[in-house]
Amino acid sequence: MPVELSHLSAPGPAPAPGDRGTVRLRLDLSYDGTDFHGWATQPGQRTVQGELEEALGRIARVPARITVAGRTDTGVHARGQVCHLDLPRDVLATFPGRSDRSPAEALVTRLAGVLPSDIVVHVAREVDDDFDARFGAQWRRYRYRISDGPAAHDPLRRDVLRHRRPLDVEAMGRASIALLGEHDFLSFCKPREGATTIRELRELRWDRPGEGRADEGLIVATVVADAFCHHMVRSLVGALIGVGEGRRPESWPAQVLAARTRDAATRDGAGSAPMCPPQGLTLDHVAYPPDEELAAWAARARTLRSPLPSAD
């Protein structure tokens, strides 16, 4: 049940960043997204943000509002998610109780006692007010895992897509090369009003780990970009699965990119990319610049890029 905060001590709006009476905390966390309706709080839905803010409210006994590095969709997992929040300094000082732990260490322990088992906060630490989990990120890395045959299917893993047909990993890798770099990824995104679909795709690699390696026998896509627009990773993977099955030529993902359209693809022509299911997708890592560069990087990230010229 969501905690009712109206009766708790020190009610009121969340503290403003930079307020001398507040402390900014960075939380590093993981979650199994199977039973969540995505990250962002939604009325009547179980979400990661909702569960985490409820747990923080119980512990701090003040409303807690979180800013996250990347909002994940329904069913998407995270191993390296990052968020930040601001709490009153006097509230933070109460967390250790009679122990000799730091307030941040005590918060991690107390969160472990109230969060559901499919969310784990690994580390909490005090950071400078210039730290911004969303706009301060330099790049994000996702991994998409696919099992393309019964020998690799594992009923205990909920972070892998079971695929019925074998996939040609080498062909998928060759087809990925043309997508690297800065492009308008409109054909691979569900655009948000007023937001750009221009992104810099830094890495798109396909591997089938061998015996004794992590993810042995699976197909693993590693996708790195400065940022991702809505559904971008799932659409990249969806387009390349068509190549791996042999239904599409290796040139087809590049044609989809060049089309820059939300119209559906035809049998013979390029259109918007098909989107694969969410369960194979995991947010793996979010990278940040050194502390002294945080403010400048966040200001730069808030500046929208100019749109590319219209496609012919």
Side-chain angles (χ1 to χ4, degrees):
M1 294 290 291
V3 64
E4 177 59 57
L5 297 177
S6 60
H7 68 284
L8 301 181
S9 60
D19 187 333
R20 291 184 179 180
T22 67
V23 176
R24 178 155 293 188
L25 294 171
R26 167 177 167 166
L27 306 183
D28 291 69
L29 65 150
S30 301
Y31 47 87
D32 176 349
T34 304
D35 298 325
F36 289 107
H37 201 77
W39 166 270
T41 299
Q42 301 179 53
Q45 301 289 350
R46 184 174 186 257
T47 68
V48 182
Q49 181 183 10
E51 293 282 359
L52 186 54
E53 289 185 345
E54 177 189 348
L56 287 163
R58 289 181 178 178
I59 294 168
R61 304 192 71 78
V62 295
R65 291 174 174 82
I66 298 171
T67 298
V68 72
R71 292 183 295 177
T72 50
D73 290 337
T74 298
V76 176
H77 319 287
R79 292 186 184 276
Q81 182 66 279
V82 179
C83 62
H84 79 255
L85 72 154
D86 299 300
L87 287 176
R89 189 175 300 275
D90 56 349
V91 169
L92 193 65
T94 67
F95 290 171
R98 298 181 181 179
S99 74
D100 59 359
R101 296 170 298 174
S102 71
E105 291 171 333
L107 176 59
V108 172
T109 302
R110 297 182 69 176
L111 282 169
V114 295
L115 282 171
S117 61
D118 46 5
I119 305 176
V120 176
V121 173
H122 301 289
V123 179
R125 57 182 179 271
E126 296 184 23
V127 292
D128 191 86
D129 287 340
D130 288 330
F131 179 83
D132 188 298
R134 179 185 177 192
F135 289 108
Q138 289 181 306
W139 50 266
R140 297 154 173 86
R141 181 175 67 222
Y142 281 85
R143 286 200 164 97
Y144 197 100
R145 294 171 172 87
I146 304 172
S147 169
D148 66 339
H153 292 339
D154 183 348
L156 300 182
R157 291 196 63 162
R158 305 208 296 179
D159 62 341
V160 177
L161 173 69
R162 288 194 187 188
H163 194 69
R164 296 182 179 181
R165 301 175 63 179
L167 298 173
D168 184 338
V169 175
E170 287 73 23
M172 295 162 78
R174 290 190 296 267
S176 299
I177 295 173
L179 304 178
L180 297 174
E182 186 176 76
H183 305 286
D184 186 341
F185 283 94
L186 176 62
S187 298
F188 294 88
C189 296
K190 181 180 179 182
R192 299 183 188 276
E193 185 176 356
T196 180
T197 52
I198 299 172
R199 297 291 187 270
E200 182 189 0
L201 186 60
R202 301 182 181 184
E203 182 177 355
L204 178 51
R205 188 182 77 246
W206 294 86
D207 301 291
R208 193 189 293 271
E211 185 176 355
R213 295 177 58 194
D215 297 321
E216 176 183 336
L218 301 177
I219 296 173
V220 183
T222 301
V223 191
V224 179
D226 56 346
F228 292 92
C229 44
H230 198 203
H231 293 164
M232 179 173 166
V233 180
R234 291 168 59 191
S235 296
L236 288 168
V237 173
L240 289 157
I241 283 177
V243 174
E245 291 180 337
R247 294 184 293 104
R248 296 287 189 178
E250 293 180 17
S251 60
W252 189 69
Q255 295 170 11
V256 172
L257 178 70
R260 295 192 351 234
T261 180
R262 293 308 305 159
D263 294 335
T266 63
R267 174 176 293 184
D268 300 320
S272 61
M275 189 169 60
C276 62
Q279 63 263 33
L281 183 59
T282 300
L283 174 59
D284 189 66
H285 184 72
V286 184
Y288 294 91
D291 290 349
E292 62 271 17
E293 299 175 18
L294 284 169
W297 190 272
R300 173 186 170 188
R302 288 186 176 94
T303 303
L304 290 177
R305 304 179 195 188
S306 300
L308 295 177
S310 299
D312 292 337

